[in-house]
């Protein structure tokens, strides 16, 4: 290979460029990124940056370009992987022998809010800048969705002294990842800090004055006044530009166990990659650690022209909410037992182990990073 194109200039794209150089590729690397910004760290967007305590320049992920050509503010419109052509929004065609797909995803939006100011999603730096500008003293904030992003935004808004309501259609927040008992602890965190948490009820509609959102109507008839509404309802993988490419798409780019698509010269990494697990199912992870780890294996397989290595995720996720650090590792879904092995949930400091058939498969810690780190390392060798 003489030229490799990386489409997507966020963490997974940057890590792919770094791995190409680390693994000895000295050819041409072209990076295509829809945002105008150089790669930056996303996790602080819902926390320190949103709170105004971390400037944008400190979000930058790298101080060098790794000898790559960075085409920022340019969108990849379509690709012909067999011809090795990526067609850009500028009309330019980039020709490459290999392709890394790292386009991530786009946040789901709230239907019926398209014409209303004050309604936000949070995924990009520009999203965070716009949301921060709307968080004025006295603003009433409604967060739709109590997952990781929704909870972090709610926490930040409370730290700014704002009135916050969180609406979650499920009866327990994050029950899929944590189970009902530990998920209920996340609900308790909201309550501990004066957040009005509405569980088990969805949104019926949104109210506005013609230009700006003024409230949210829930399906139980409740009306919530709102000056700002934030959607934290997940994301969709950015695969529109791949339609007609011949690549297999199904809620992401389908890959084998080494992140290689049906075409050996094309790999996918990060939020957009849906790779095959040992049991034959396909999974996709939407978190920082996955985007950082996956390119190591994907690039090695791309340069080899075949699948030599298997991606083994650490499953590590962390979240800072209301002054509490939550850390999660392993595979918690499907666990048939959860046991608190240190501390107490009532004290908001504990470690819990997830087990399947008696074997540890995951670990969750609240404000206990030392023991979590030790158990996470042990988990990796089980």
């Amino acid at each position: 290979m003489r030229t490799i194109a990386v489409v997507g200039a966020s963490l997974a794209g940057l890590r792919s460029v770094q791995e190409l150089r680390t693994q000895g590729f000295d050819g041409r690397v072209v990076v295509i990124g829809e945002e105008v910004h150089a790669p930056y760290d996303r996790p602080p967007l819902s926390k320190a940056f949103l709170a105004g305590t971390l400037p944008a320049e400190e979000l930058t992920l790298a101080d060098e370009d790794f000898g790559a050509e960075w085409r920022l503010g340019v969108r990849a419109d379509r690709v012909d992987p067999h011809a090795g052509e990526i067609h850009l929004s500028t009309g330019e065609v980039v020709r490459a022998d290999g392709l890394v797909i790292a386009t991530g995803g786009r946040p789901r939006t709230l239907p019926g809010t398209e014409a209303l100011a004050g309604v936000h999603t949070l995924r990009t730096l520009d999203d965070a800048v716009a949301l921060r500008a709307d968080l004025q003293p006295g603003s009433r904030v409604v967060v739709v969705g109590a997952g990781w992003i929704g909870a972090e935004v709610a926490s930040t808004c409370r730290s700014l002294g704002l009135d916050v309501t969180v609406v979650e259609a499920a009866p327990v927040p994050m029950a899929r990842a944590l189970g009902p008992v530990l998920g209920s602890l996340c609900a308790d965190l909201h309550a501990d800090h004066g957040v009005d948490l509405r569980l088990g009820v969805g949104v019926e509609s949104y109210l506005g004055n013609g230009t700006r959102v003024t409230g949210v109507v829930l399906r139980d008839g409740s009306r919530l006044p709102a000056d700002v509404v934030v959607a934290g309802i997940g994301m969709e993988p950015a695969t529109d530009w791949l339609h007609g490419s011949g690549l297999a798409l199904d809620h992401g780019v389908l890959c084998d166990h080494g992140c290689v698509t049906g075409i050996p010269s094309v790999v996918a990494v990060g939020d957009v990659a849906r790779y095959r697990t040992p049991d034959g199912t396909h999974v996709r992870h939407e978190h920082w650690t996955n985007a950082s780890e996956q390119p190591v294996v994907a690039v090695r397989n791309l340069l080899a022209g075949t699948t030599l290595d298997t991606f083994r995720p650490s499953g590590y996720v962390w979240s800072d909410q209301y002054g509490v650090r939550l850390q999660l590792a392993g595979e918690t879904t499907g666990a048939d037992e959860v046991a608190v092995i240190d501390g107490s949930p009532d004290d908001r400091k504990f470690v819990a182990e997830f087990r399947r058939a008696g074997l540890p498969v995951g670990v969750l810690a609240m404000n206990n990073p030392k023991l979590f780190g030790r158990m996470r390392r042990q988990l990796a060798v089980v």
Side-chain angles (χ1 to χ4, degrees):
M1 292 185 181
R2 300 188 60 83
T3 298
I4 293 178
V6 178
V7 181
S10 192
L11 175 65
L14 173 65
R15 290 285 186 263
S16 297
V17 175
Q18 292 173 320
E19 282 301 318
L20 284 166
R21 296 312 190 200
T22 297
Q23 296 185 32
F25 181 73
D26 59 1
R28 181 185 180 216
V29 177
V30 182
V31 187
I32 300 153
E34 189 171 359
E35 293 186 66
V36 298
H37 309 290
Y40 58 87
D41 205 16
R42 293 186 191 272
L45 296 182
S46 57
K47 299 182 281 288
F49 180 79
L50 188 61
T53 59
L54 183 72
E57 54 267 24
E58 292 188 20
L59 297 173
T60 303
L61 284 171
D63 296 324
E64 59 176 305
D65 62 11
F66 303 97
E69 301 172 26
W70 293 82
R71 311 286 180 87
L72 300 178
V74 177
R75 186 180 65 253
D77 281 342
R78 63 186 180 90
V79 62
D80 183 341
H82 296 286
E85 296 180 344
I86 301 104
H87 296 254
L88 308 185
S89 57
T90 59
E92 181 185 4
V93 177
V94 172
R95 290 175 171 81
D97 308 300
L99 172 63
V100 179
I101 299 171
T103 43
R106 296 184 174 87
R108 295 190 182 102
T109 57
L110 300 170
T113 64
E114 296 80 6
L116 293 176
V119 179
H120 297 266
T121 56
L122 181 57
R123 184 165 178 85
T124 69
L125 176 58
D126 291 343
D127 291 339
V129 169
L131 174 56
R132 191 167 71 176
D134 256 0
L135 297 179
Q136 298 299 314
S139 294
R140 298 162 298 180
V141 181
V142 173
V143 179
V144 181
W148 300 112
I149 292 295
E152 290 175 356
V153 169
S155 170
T156 300
C157 289
R158 281 302 293 150
S159 74
L160 296 173
L162 304 180
D163 178 79
V164 180
T165 301
V166 176
V167 179
E168 170 58 56
V172 178
M174 291 185 278
R176 182 177 178 184
L178 305 182
V181 175
L182 296 181
S184 67
L185 292 175
C186 296
D188 293 341
L189 279 179
H190 292 294
D192 289 348
H193 294 84
V195 171
D196 182 6
L197 180 61
R198 306 292 183 96
L199 294 173
V201 60
V203 174
E204 179 66 30
S205 62
Y206 299 89
L207 304 174
N209 60 11
T211 58
R212 188 174 183 86
V213 69
T214 60
V216 178
V217 180
L218 304 185
R219 288 177 182 162
D220 64 3
S222 302
R223 291 186 171 226
L224 307 174
D227 304 296
V228 178
V229 173
V230 184
I233 54 175
M235 55 145 277
E236 295 289 343
T239 58
D240 290 352
W241 67 286
L242 297 171
H243 291 164
S245 65
L247 295 170
L249 308 175
D250 183 9
H251 302 290
V253 180
L254 293 183
C255 312
D256 68 9
H257 56 276
C259 302
V260 180
T261 69
I263 302 173
S265 60
V266 181
V267 299
V269 293
D271 293 356
V272 76
R274 192 157 174 246
Y275 68 95
R276 192 173 69 244
T277 62
D279 64 5
T281 61
H282 282 81
V283 298
R284 191 171 57 80
H285 300 295
E286 300 174 4
H287 51 72
W288 191 97
T289 310
N290 182 72
S292 181
E293 294 172 343
Q294 232 170 24
V296 178
V297 171
V299 165
R300 186 172 295 126
N301 292 333
L302 175 65
L303 294 178
T306 188
T307 303
L308 298 178
D309 286 356
T310 296
F311 175 61
R312 295 177 175 84
S314 69
Y316 176 55
V317 184
W318 80 94
S319 178
D320 295 316
Q321 304 171 22
Y322 306 108
V324 169
R325 168 148 287 201
L326 290 162
Q327 294 172 285
L328 180 68
E331 180 55 63
T332 58
T333 56
D336 52 33
E337 180 187 1
V338 181
V340 175
I341 62 172
D342 186 78
S344 168
D346 293 338
D347 297 332
R348 306 297 186 254
K349 183 177 181 178
F350 70 94
V351 177
E353 186 175 74
F354 293 77
R355 300 166 185 161
R356 187 181 304 121
L359 296 176
V361 293
V363 58
L364 171 73
M366 181 179 285
N367 276 344
N368 198 335
K370 185 175 181 179
L371 181 55
F372 173 83
R374 185 163 71 247
M375 292 190 63
R376 180 189 175 193
R377 289 190 294 274
Q378 292 173 350
L379 191 68
V381 298
V382 172

